[in-house]
Amino acid sequence: TGLYVVPWGFRKLLNWIKVNYNNPIIIVTENGVSVPKESSIPLPEVLHDSFRVSYYSNYLNELYNAITEDEVNIRGYFAWSLLDNFEWGDGYTVRFGLHYVDYENNLTRYVKDSALFYSQYIDSALTPLPPPIHSLWKLAFCVIPFLLLLIVLVYIFDKKSKNNRYKALV
């Protein structure tokens, strides 16, 4: 399919975007790999996709390093793809999925080792990262005016209710 596995290049690209575009928010929307000749591997064996596990392990580690060491502003990551699917250039012959789809038997789905790895990695290896400081400032500029408005409204209604209580007594 002409895809190359270059995890260090992924990190280098993320840093290039950071430097050349003033560290914008980055969401990686498609990152994945097909296993060479995967469509010709028998079903029990195809579920043990160590090539794809290695791919995700290396790419996710580079992504994590770009976030934690290089401070690249990455906010999302999506593996390509959840399921084997139709690829425009190759039809159903190339498989990218974390889950195997049996096209011959009612589209039955099977979990591959890469799906298990990805799930475990997300659950254990990545901890939530603190928001960048500019996000906190945005929050402050939204919340503080709202709180001030709320205080003013409470003061106005409290003052009106005191005036009404005073008039009722007179």
Side-chain angles (χ1 to χ4, degrees):
T1 59
L3 298 178
Y4 297 95
V5 177
V6 188
W8 61 265
F10 181 52
R11 182 176 178 185
K12 189 173 180 178
L13 173 63
L14 294 169
N15 276 283
W16 184 88
I17 294 168
K18 173 189 171 184
V19 169
N20 289 286
Y21 291 96
N22 197 24
N23 202 19
I25 293 173
I26 297 173
I27 299 173
V28 179
T29 57
E30 290 186 15
N31 182 243
V33 68
S34 60
V35 173
K37 300 180 183 175
E38 189 173 24
S39 289
S40 61
I41 300 172
L43 179 60
E45 293 172 41
V46 78
L47 301 180
H48 305 294
D49 56 345
S50 59
F51 181 82
R52 187 174 290 111
V53 170
S54 175
Y55 174 90
Y56 279 115
S57 175
N58 292 325
Y59 272 75
L60 288 169
N61 284 328
E62 292 296 333
L63 177 79
Y64 184 77
N65 291 337
I67 295 168
T68 59
E69 295 175 17
D70 307 333
E71 298 180 350
V72 178
N73 195 7
I74 298 165
R75 294 286 154 204
Y77 175 88
F78 296 89
W80 185 259
S81 163
L82 176 65
L83 302 167
D84 291 330
N85 62 1
F86 181 83
E87 293 291 329
W88 288 107
D90 299 298
Y92 292 108
T93 61
V94 175
R95 296 173 178 269
F96 282 82
L98 297 172
H99 295 78
Y100 180 87
V101 176
D102 187 347
Y103 300 123
E104 303 295 321
N105 294 302
N106 202 27
L107 301 176
T108 305
R109 291 138 179 107
Y110 300 91
V111 177
K112 296 179 187 175
D113 288 348
S114 55
L116 299 174
F117 167 81
Y118 185 70
S119 174
Q120 291 168 358
Y121 186 91
I122 297 302
D123 284 344
S124 65
L126 290 178
T127 56
L129 299 169
I133 191 69
H134 70 272
S135 293
L136 295 175
W137 281 111
K138 286 179 187 175
L139 179 65
F141 284 115
C142 291
V143 172
I144 291 172
F146 174 76
L147 291 175
L148 290 173
L149 177 63
L150 187 61
I151 291 168
V152 168
L153 290 175
V154 167
Y155 175 77
I156 290 171
F157 285 114
D158 189 48
K159 190 174 181 181
K160 284 184 178 180
S161 66
K162 283 182 183 175
N163 286 341
N164 287 342
R165 278 184 268 157
Y166 175 74
K167 286 179 184 175
L169 293 174
V170 174

